Amino acid sequence: MCGIVGYSGPQNPKDVIMGGLKSLEYRGYDSAGVAILHKGEFKRVRAEGKLSILQEKLINEPFDGHLGIGHTRWATHGAPVERNAHPHTVKGVSIVHNGIIENYLELREELARDAKARGQVIRFESETDTELVAHLIAYQLEITKGLLESVLKILPRLNGAFSILVVSKDHPDEMIAFKNGPPLIIGQAKGAVVVASDVQAILPHTNKVVYIDDFEIAHVKGESFRIYNSKGEPIVKPVVEIDWSADRVEKEGYPHFMLKEIFEQPRAVARALAPHIDVAKQTVSLSGTGITDAQWARVERVLIVACGTSNYAGMVGKYLIEIMARVPVETDIASEFRYRQPVMGADTLAIVISQSGETADTLAVLRQLKTLGVPSLSVCNVKNSTIDREADGHLYMNSGTEIGVASTKAFTSTIALMNVLALQIAKAKGRLSPEDEARYVNALLAAPAQMETVLACDKFFAAAADVLKNYKGFLYMGRGVSYPLALEGALKLKELAYMHAEGYAAGEMKHGPLALIDKRMAVVMLAPSDNLYEKTLSNLEEAKARGGVIIALGTVGNERLRGISQSYLTLPRAEWNVNPLLEAVPLQLLAYHVASALGHDVDQPRNLAKSVTVE
Ligand code: G6P
């Protein structure tokens, strides 16, 4: 949530900051702003709406200085209007902030009281919690005169999650960066320093970075920086060399990143599987992930925790692990798990899934599990993200950068990894015969090519979207491994098309959702030919009998299903464990095309953000 960038160096800060913000726009896009040194002052330019609006405003704005900060916002406190956009400036102190200051009202009252005692009145220009921090620092600066000293003074007073950059006109070659919670990374480039919420914004300048930890403070002066602990003592931090260059973030001819990412899925799934499969031997192995063979064999219970789309990938994992490895699996959404006083032990392996590796609730769960002594394995797309760094073991989606806010290729890559995990646990427990292992491995190896064929649904949904967009709602149904896919299909439509959609276990339909069905309700039925196919078919008949408009996804050659449905889309014949990978593609395309037909911004849906670093 919110992207922040700071730059101190010889280039025009406007170009570096705007370039950085562009790669951070996935974190929030309701308003944006910069404060850059010009004629001894930090000139502030802000705009409501997408970054492109700020970009236009900046075209003819000159800046003669070499220090600046920028922000792209996902509103928490205060409407997404210009006066609430960052930076917030108080008496020459400008700050950008990602997160929430939970005790801001209390601090605000305290500040107002102190000011009154001095015969002053504090005026707030915005409804944000951020402006308060600018006031606190400006007030401290009057006393201490030092920027670092002022931040050290106020830092213990702040509760909540925050990463903040501060500049001041009285210290025109200094910048302070500090955090508790959301990520903040600092890079040392040649003669320049770049600070940002995500390494993507730094990589065009340097791959040598330092990850600032909670309650540490980076003090940038000119072209270099030092890190201090919360007591103000200098500390030495490891410099991490990022081994990947800035990913290409271009649409490559596609109208949207999301469509490009949907089409990238066969490759992404192959990349996720590659490190763990021995093609010649037809075996899987999860060595080198940080979990030892003995630990795999000791697993008596698995817990999978995540948010949003990652949670649904985790639910697929539950079916796979329980069926293949016969180990009980519990799944939960992180925001619930963290407050329900869970009962866990060391025989549990906790799998935390987060493509960004920064989701606040998922990170909180990981930290909680550590205190309970539960070993953890992270499944992330972003290497060196906080969750990746803090977990005991690590698995990577290897999907490449995902720009579309609604996750697609990270989802299918995670499902591929859930398969590998299930096979690994089954093997470690002595519950997988070499024949079954080879069968599952071959099914997985065939999946990318099969996904390729399902991409042909693109044409169908592109043509059907104009009709589909007029339904009053969508009901998605499936059983077994297809049930989490029904939930994910509904989520995608909600996220992108802003339409009412619900995902349901098909067998549960008669306990409520059947009442919703009439001729204005589209029913998306996931009915691959697996062991639950006949049961799913009965549920489909029930929906049809109530007048629902049936869109069915079924295995090729299934004429019975074709007969029942208004629209029938075929999936290639596959093992049951691969069906979710195939089903994901048409569900994503349906949401994408309906949203496009409605004229929505599919890459940046309203009110959402890709990296949710607040609770
Ligand atoms: C946000 C995104 C979703 C994503 C969820 C969890 O809500 O919009 O696409 O599934 O966060 O993100 P994570 O990075 O933890 O997988």
Side-chain angles (χ1 to χ4, degrees):
M1 320 236 101
C2 302
I4 63 183
V5 186
Y7 177 74
S8 170
Q11 281 178 257
N12 184 346
K14 176 170 89 172
D15 299 337
V16 178
I17 292 167
M18 289 307 286
L21 289 180
K22 188 79 209 130
S23 65
L24 298 181
E25 209 181 3
Y26 71 88
R27 303 179 71 89
Y29 34 79
D30 58 42
S31 53
V34 297
I36 299 172
L37 207 55
H38 183 61
K39 296 194 187 309
E41 301 268 343
F42 280 93
K43 180 158 79 175
R44 182 171 69 162
V45 182
R46 301 181 295 174
E48 184 179 327
K50 297 266 167 80
L51 200 59
S52 53
I53 300 170
L54 176 68
Q55 185 91 50
E56 259 176 42
K57 260 182 135 171
L58 282 170
I59 286 174
N60 296 319
E61 287 289 347
F63 296 96
D64 63 10
H66 290 283
L67 182 67
I69 54 177
H71 187 268
T72 174
R73 181 171 189 243
W74 186 86
T76 57
H77 294 66
V81 293
E82 186 172 331
R83 77 171 178 283
N84 289 328
H86 300 213
H88 290 282
T89 301
V90 174
K91 296 184 184 163
V93 171
S94 290
I95 82 166
V96 288
H97 165 217
N98 167 24
I100 293 175
I101 308 295
E102 284 170 1
N103 58 339
Y104 87 104
L105 282 176
E106 177 193 323
L107 292 174
R108 202 163 138 153
E109 275 168 27
E110 196 182 299
L111 190 75
R113 264 200 315 273
D114 284 359
K116 201 170 166 197
R118 296 194 310 274
Q120 295 172 357
V121 181
I122 300 275
R123 278 186 221 295
F124 286 88
E125 290 174 356
S126 72
E127 290 97 62
T128 66
D129 49 344
T130 307
E131 192 186 349
L132 177 265
V133 182
H135 273 284
L136 291 177
I137 295 174
Y139 176 51
Q140 280 303 326
L141 256 183
E142 285 172 4
I143 305 164
T144 69
K145 307 289 179 214
L147 204 51
L148 177 64
E149 291 72 12
S150 302
V151 170
L152 279 166
K153 269 262 186 288
I154 66 131
L155 183 52
R157 305 292 330 275
L158 305 180
N159 292 343
F162 47 83
S163 56
I164 293 178
L165 297 181
V166 191
V167 290
S168 156
K169 77 173 170 54
D170 296 331
H171 302 266
D173 65 340
E174 291 179 51
M175 171 166 55
I176 301 283
F178 62 100
K179 68 157 233 145
N180 175 37
L184 201 52
I185 303 148
I186 185 160
Q188 179 71 68
K190 216 166 159 239
V193 179
V194 193
V195 198
S197 315
D198 185 325
V199 78
Q200 283 292 336
I202 300 177
L203 281 175
H205 310 280
T206 177
N207 69 339
K208 292 189 184 57
V209 302
V210 171
Y211 286 85
I212 302 173
D213 281 311
D214 289 350
F215 293 103
E216 290 178 351
I217 303 165
H219 184 195
V220 180
K221 203 153 196 269
E223 59 185 51
S224 60
F225 67 88
R226 296 201 71 170
I227 311 269
Y228 296 85
N229 65 16
S230 58
K231 292 189 202 125
E233 299 157 346
I235 51 173
V236 179
K237 301 264 307 173
V239 176
V240 179
E241 258 190 57
I242 305 290
D243 61 0
W244 37 289
S245 55
D247 255 359
R248 288 184 64 195
V249 285
E250 282 151 31
K251 292 188 189 139
E252 292 168 9
Y254 286 94
H256 297 100
F257 282 110
M258 184 183 175
L259 192 61
K260 173 180 161 241
E261 286 157 7
I262 291 173
F263 274 78
E264 277 172 355
Q265 289 182 107
R267 252 188 306 146
V269 164
R271 272 205 309 265
L273 291 170
H276 315 297
I277 290 194
D278 185 324
V279 179
K281 293 190 187 140
Q282 303 181 331
T283 53
V284 291
S285 151
L286 278 183
S287 57
T289 49
I291 306 288
T292 62
D293 285 349
Q295 276 178 303
W296 287 117
R298 270 203 308 273
V299 174
E300 291 300 331
R301 251 176 99 184
V302 173
L303 165 74
I304 305 179
V305 187
C307 299
T309 289
S310 289
N311 175 51
Y312 296 143
M315 284 175 71
V316 175
K318 175 184 166 73
Y319 286 90
L320 296 169
I321 297 170
E322 289 194 337
I323 295 172
M324 292 181 186
R326 310 303 302 142
V327 169
V329 183
E330 184 186 346
T331 59
D332 205 350
I333 37 180
S335 56
E336 281 303 308
F337 181 88
R338 65 185 289 195
Y339 295 112
R340 72 171 164 86
Q341 302 180 22
V343 187
M344 291 285 136
D347 64 347
T348 301
L349 174 69
I351 300 170
V352 285
I353 306 173
S354 174
Q355 75 76 28
S356 65
E358 303 293 351
T359 301
D361 284 316
T362 314
L363 177 59
V365 167
L366 175 63
R367 290 178 174 164
Q368 194 178 8
L369 290 166
K370 287 205 143 186
T371 64
L372 295 171
V374 180
S376 58
L377 175 74
S378 62
V379 179
C380 293
N381 196 30
V382 180
K383 283 189 185 155
N384 293 311
S385 54
T386 313
I387 290 174
D388 176 31
R389 282 181 287 129
E390 294 194 13
D392 302 322
H394 320 270
L395 264 181
Y396 298 107
M397 298 172 192
N398 287 336
S399 309
T401 306
E402 192 180 66
I403 301 289
V405 164
S407 187
T408 51
K409 59 179 177 171
F411 175 67
T412 41
S413 295
T414 308
I415 292 176
L417 291 176
M418 290 296 119
N419 269 279
V420 176
L421 266 164
L423 291 168
Q424 168 69 30
I425 299 172
K427 223 168 138 170
K429 298 261 175 219
R431 293 172 190 161
L432 186 69
S433 68
E435 295 73 37
D436 280 345
E437 184 175 9
R439 185 166 51 85
Y440 283 129
V441 164
N442 284 327
L444 286 171
L445 288 173
Q450 292 183 318
M451 290 170 83
E452 204 76 65
T453 66
V454 186
L455 284 166
C457 291
D458 184 49
K459 287 203 175 55
F460 170 80
F461 286 115
D466 265 334
V467 175
L468 294 175
K469 72 177 189 201
N470 296 316
Y471 286 109
K472 74 167 180 195
F474 281 71
L475 211 47
Y476 291 73
M477 277 178 258
R479 283 172 175 262
V481 276
S482 299
Y483 165 46
L485 267 290
L487 298 172
E488 169 61 8
L491 176 64
K492 275 286 151 295
L493 197 77
K494 281 183 265 207
E495 285 177 305
L496 301 171
Y498 321 146
M499 286 175 78
H500 173 242
E502 280 196 63
Y504 249 89
E508 188 68 8
M509 246 185 34
K510 53 181 88 55
H511 300 293
L514 259 190
L516 288 170
I517 295 182
D518 61 22
K519 61 179 183 341
R520 294 184 55 231
M521 181 67 105
V523 179
V524 181
M525 193 57 109
L526 307 180
S529 298
D530 56 14
N531 61 331
L532 294 166
Y533 170 67
E534 292 294 335
K535 307 255 176 228
T536 311
L537 214 60
S538 315
N539 301 134
L540 189 61
E541 298 277 15
E542 289 156 12
K544 191 179 166 73
R546 270 93 191 159
V549 181
I550 313 289
I551 302 166
L553 299 185
T555 305
V556 66
N558 202 329
E559 292 311 311
R560 223 171 117 203
L561 196 55
R562 186 190 296 278
I564 304 174
S565 2
Q566 270 83 352
S567 305
Y568 175 52
L569 294 151
T570 58
L571 307 173
R573 190 165 301 282
E575 280 289 341
W576 65 274
N577 63 310
V578 164
N579 280 332
L581 291 170
L582 308 179
E583 290 163 339
V585 174
L587 297 179
Q588 295 161 349
L589 287 167
L590 189 165
Y592 170 82
H593 283 294
V594 172
S596 302
L598 288 165
H600 299 325
D601 183 342
V602 284
D603 281 337
Q604 295 179 334
R606 72 180 180 203
N607 306 340
L608 301 182
K610 190 155 191 71
S611 184
V612 182
T613 52
V614 294
E615 259 194 270

